[in-house]
Amino acid sequence: MQQALALAREAAGLGEVPVGALAVHDGKIIGTGFNRREIDRNPLAHAEIFAMDAAAKALGVWRLTGVTLYVTLEPCAMCAGALVQSRVTRLVFGTLDPKAGAVGSLYNLAEEPRHNHRLQVTSGIMADDCRQVLKDFFARLRTRKQDK
Amino acid sequence: MQQALALAREAAGLGEVPVGALAVHDGKIIGTGFNRREIDRNPLAHAEIFAMDAAAKALGVWRLTGVTLYVTLEPCAMCAGALVQSRVTRLVFGTLDPKAGAVGSLYNLAEEPRHNHRLQVTSGIMADDCRQVLKDFFARLRTRKQDK
């Protein structure tokens, strides 16, 4: 999660909402990503999507069985749905997203019994740090807006 | 929807589960896609994702306001979540997906009142044709498996 947080900070440095993710397989990092929605002008450019895309390329298959995805923020519906589509085995995330979180906050797509795949979920890992990086980002954004 | 169906048939010809999608803005097609999960070996390679990605590139923004997305099959959670993330205005789909559909079958992410964006949804357009192309595909798959 330390490394996912470093990726989130990289996003913040580029003016992006700081969320970082990485995909791990057999103890090796096979995919990383951070939110790049503004830079890429692309609604799909979430941290988790980059990490899963890279993981699929690294493994050469669409089934990401055995992969653990670490992400600083609770995934949204798109990313949680992508984790299910990918058959990722385990999800570890930092802080909750009460407004758009799809793994416990609004609903729980990762552990939905009607899906053909469910993930093992661990949440709250380094939650304070993961939340703080977001808080700092939005505080800076507000200050900058007031300065204008 | 005729054109989305043609894209679905293109997918079937390549051995992919036949689903086709297109994104329309101001009466112009600005993005198309069909399911390419097997060819691309990528769990994210759904028809809708390609259409939205192309639409964002065409418009040069991540907000796909004013876009209508046509797709032959009810979107899954990943694609429905992506439609919300993209702020796509309207979704038109063909047949329901009782096993994984996220716009009415299992739940309804496109019209979820707690999200910060909701889509206008029209379903059942050319539903018989959209379902038939899937039925034919799976029937051929079964025959081929029996022949082996």
Side-chain angles (χ1 to χ4, degrees):
Chain A
M1 193 59 84
Q2 280 287 8
Q3 294 182 61
L5 253 171
L7 288 159
R9 290 198 179 100
E10 204 172 324
L14 296 166
E16 298 277 352
V17 174
V19 182
L22 41 99
V24 174
H25 185 256
D26 276 347
K28 250 180 60 186
I29 295 172
I30 57 166
T32 64
F34 57 79
N35 175 40
R36 307 175 48 98
R37 189 173 68 169
E38 302 295 338
I39 313 169
D40 287 0
R41 298 176 180 188
N42 194 316
L44 315 172
H46 281 199
E48 301 95 313
I49 299 293
F50 289 111
M52 280 183 264
D53 189 54
K57 287 186 172 87
L59 296 177
V61 287
W62 66 260
R63 276 177 205 271
L64 304 185
T65 309
V67 167
T68 297
L69 190 116
Y70 294 83
V71 58
T72 55
L73 181 67
E74 181 186 359
C76 73
M78 170 178 73
C79 293
L83 287 161
V84 174
Q85 286 296 330
S86 311
R87 315 288 197 270
V88 164
T89 298
R90 192 172 165 228
L91 166 68
V92 181
F93 70 87
T95 187
L96 289 167
D97 182 354
K99 283 188 189 165
V103 188
S105 289
L106 298 187
Y107 30 76
N108 191 335
L109 298 179
E111 297 174 299
E112 164 62 51
R114 293 170 298 173
H115 285 165
N116 62 355
H117 176 72
R118 283 164 292 283
L119 287 91
Q120 301 158 29
V121 177
T122 310
S123 62
I125 303 302
M126 299 182 63
D128 290 343
D129 296 310
C130 293
R131 191 166 40 240
Q132 197 58 47
V133 72
L134 284 159
K135 270 189 163 175
D136 292 348
F137 175 80
F138 287 112
R140 274 200 308 275
L141 210 64
R142 278 192 297 272
T143 313
R144 239 176 265 163
K145 274 188 185 161
Q146 281 164 359
D147 288 348
K148 276 182 188 170
Chain B
M1 193 59 86
Q2 281 285 7
Q3 294 181 61
L5 253 171
L7 288 159
R9 291 199 179 99
E10 204 172 325
L14 296 165
E16 297 278 352
V17 174
V19 183
L22 42 98
V24 174
H25 185 257
D26 276 345
K28 250 181 60 187
I29 296 172
I30 58 166
T32 63
F34 56 80
N35 174 41
R36 306 175 48 98
R37 187 172 69 170
E38 301 296 336
I39 312 170
D40 288 0
R41 299 177 179 186
N42 193 315
L44 315 172
H46 281 198
E48 301 94 313
I49 299 293
F50 289 111
M52 281 184 264
D53 189 55
K57 287 186 173 87
L59 295 177
V61 287
W62 65 259
R63 277 178 204 270
L64 305 185
T65 309
V67 167
T68 297
L69 191 116
Y70 295 83
V71 57
T72 54
L73 181 67
E74 181 186 359
C76 73
M78 170 177 73
C79 293
L83 287 161
V84 174
Q85 287 296 331
S86 311
R87 313 287 196 270
V88 164
T89 298
R90 192 171 165 228
L91 166 67
V92 181
F93 70 86
T95 189
L96 291 166
D97 182 355
K99 284 188 186 163
V103 188
S105 289
L106 297 187
Y107 30 76
N108 191 335
L109 298 179
E111 297 174 298
E112 165 61 50
R114 293 171 298 174
H115 285 164
N116 63 354
H117 177 70
R118 281 164 294 283
L119 287 91
Q120 301 158 28
V121 178
T122 310
S123 61
I125 304 302
M126 299 182 63
D128 290 344
D129 295 311
C130 293
R131 191 166 40 241
Q132 197 59 46
V133 72
L134 284 159
K135 269 189 164 177
D136 292 348
F137 175 80
F138 286 113
R140 273 200 307 277
L141 211 65
R142 277 192 297 273
T143 314
R144 239 176 265 164
K145 273 188 185 161
Q146 281 165 359
D147 287 349
K148 274 181 190 170

